[in-house]
Amino acid sequence: DAGVTQSPTHLIKTRGQQVTLRCSPKSGHDTVSWYQQALGQGPQFIFQYYEEEERQRGNFPDRFSGHQFPNYSSELNVNALLLGDSALYLCATGSGSHNEQFFGPGTRLTVL
Amino acid sequence: GNSVTQMEGPVTLSEEAFLTINCTYTATGYPSLFWYVQYPGEGLQLLLKATKADDKGSNKGFEATYRKETTSFHLEKGSVQVSDSAVYFCALISDNFNKFYFGSGTKLNVKP
C-alpha cells in the first residue's frame, strides 16, 4: 500500500509564472490538506479538500487555488509566483472519521 | 484562537544526554496533540500523539504527556542518539476539519 505521494519532488520557476503541484492520497483517504513550509518555519495551512470541494481555507491569497479529483487526488495551483512563494509544499491526507493524517514527502518549490 | 509555542533551537546535546523540548498550546475545544519529526530534506513523520488530557504518547524512546492544566505537551527522551538529530514540530488539531496548527520547530543536534 503506497503512502501519500507528491510530484514533482523539486521545481524551479521564475517570478510571474504559474505552477501546479500534485498529491495522491494514501489508500482509503478522502481528505487532502495542503501546507506551505517556508525555510526554518513550521507548516502553515493553505486549504483542505473533501468531496471535491474546498472545505476550509487558511490565510493565503487567491493566487493559491486547488482542485480535488473523483479519485481523491489533488492539485495545488499557484499563479503569479513571487519570490516569497519559495517553500516546501506538503500535502496531508486522511479519512473523514479520524483525525490522524499522513504527510507526503513534499515538493520543494524555488522561485527565482 | 489556536496556536502552538515551542522552545527555540537549536538544542545541542551529547549522545546519551536527556532531552526535553518544551511545547505549550492555546486551543478552543479539546485538541489532539502531536509531535512530528523532520529529517533533512524530507517531509514530516508522526512521532507520537495524545488525544485527551493525561494521555501519554510514546514512540522510539520519546514520550510526551498531555497536560491540560498547564496546556503543555513537552517532548522527552532519556538518552538521545546521533540519529535523533532532526527538527521536531509540536502540533495540534482542534476542530472538525483536522487542520493542523504547528509550532515553529526545534532543531536538535546530537554530537557523538
Side-chain angles (χ1 to χ4, degrees), chain A residues 2-79:
Chain A
V4 181
T5 60
Q6 291 187 243
S7 63
T9 306
H10 295 89
L11 204 52
I12 299 176
K13 292 286 188 179
T14 57
R15 281 177 295 175
Q17 285 190 310
Q18 178 265 343
V19 68
T20 298
L21 311 181
R22 296 174 178 82
C23 174
S24 291
K26 183 177 170 64
S27 178
H29 286 183
D30 56 9
T31 302
V32 178
S33 300
W34 286 93
Y35 292 82
Q36 180 195 66
Q37 185 181 13
L39 195 63
Q41 302 293 318
Q44 299 292 317
F45 177 77
I46 302 174
F47 43 52
Q48 184 181 90
Y49 277 83
Y50 174 69
E51 293 188 342
E52 301 181 48
E53 292 197 357
E54 184 182 290
R55 181 160 73 170
Q56 198 174 29
R57 189 178 183 92
N59 188 27
F60 279 81
D62 292 345
R63 298 187 297 109
F64 290 77
S65 63
H67 188 77
Q68 186 178 33
F69 299 93
N71 67 353
Y72 307 119
S73 67
S74 177
E75 290 181 347
L76 164 65
N77 300 294
V78 187
N79 294 323

Side-chain angles (χ1 to χ4, degrees), chain B:
Chain B
N2 299 310
S3 66
V4 175
T5 302
Q6 287 181 239
M7 63 186 288
E8 289 194 17
V11 174
T12 301
L13 297 173
S14 297
E15 205 165 23
E16 299 184 3
F18 184 85
L19 168 71
T20 299
I21 299 178
N22 290 336
C23 170
T24 56
Y25 67 89
T26 302
T28 56
Y30 302 94
S32 294
L33 303 174
F34 303 79
W35 277 101
Y36 279 86
V37 58
Q38 187 173 40
Y39 298 99
E42 297 186 11
L44 297 175
Q45 298 178 25
L46 177 64
L47 183 59
L48 54 84
K49 68 175 184 179
T51 57
K52 61 182 187 297
D54 300 325
D55 270 1
K56 176 186 283 188
S58 61
N59 185 27
K60 300 180 182 178
F62 291 90
E63 293 183 340
T65 301
Y66 188 139
R67 301 286 188 198
K68 187 178 179 184
E69 63 275 13
T70 55
T71 62
S72 65
F73 193 55
H74 305 321
L75 182 67
E76 296 181 337
K77 186 176 185 182
S79 176
V80 294
Q81 305 299 313
V82 172
S83 57
D84 293 327
S85 297
V87 180
Y88 293 80
F89 291 93
C90 185
L92 68 83
I93 288 177
S94 184
D95 57 35
N96 293 328
F97 299 104
N98 297 336
K99 179 174 74 176
F100 279 101
Y101 296 84
F102 284 91
S104 56
T106 303
K107 185 173 184 179
L108 171 65
N109 296 317
V110 181
K111 297 197 272 188

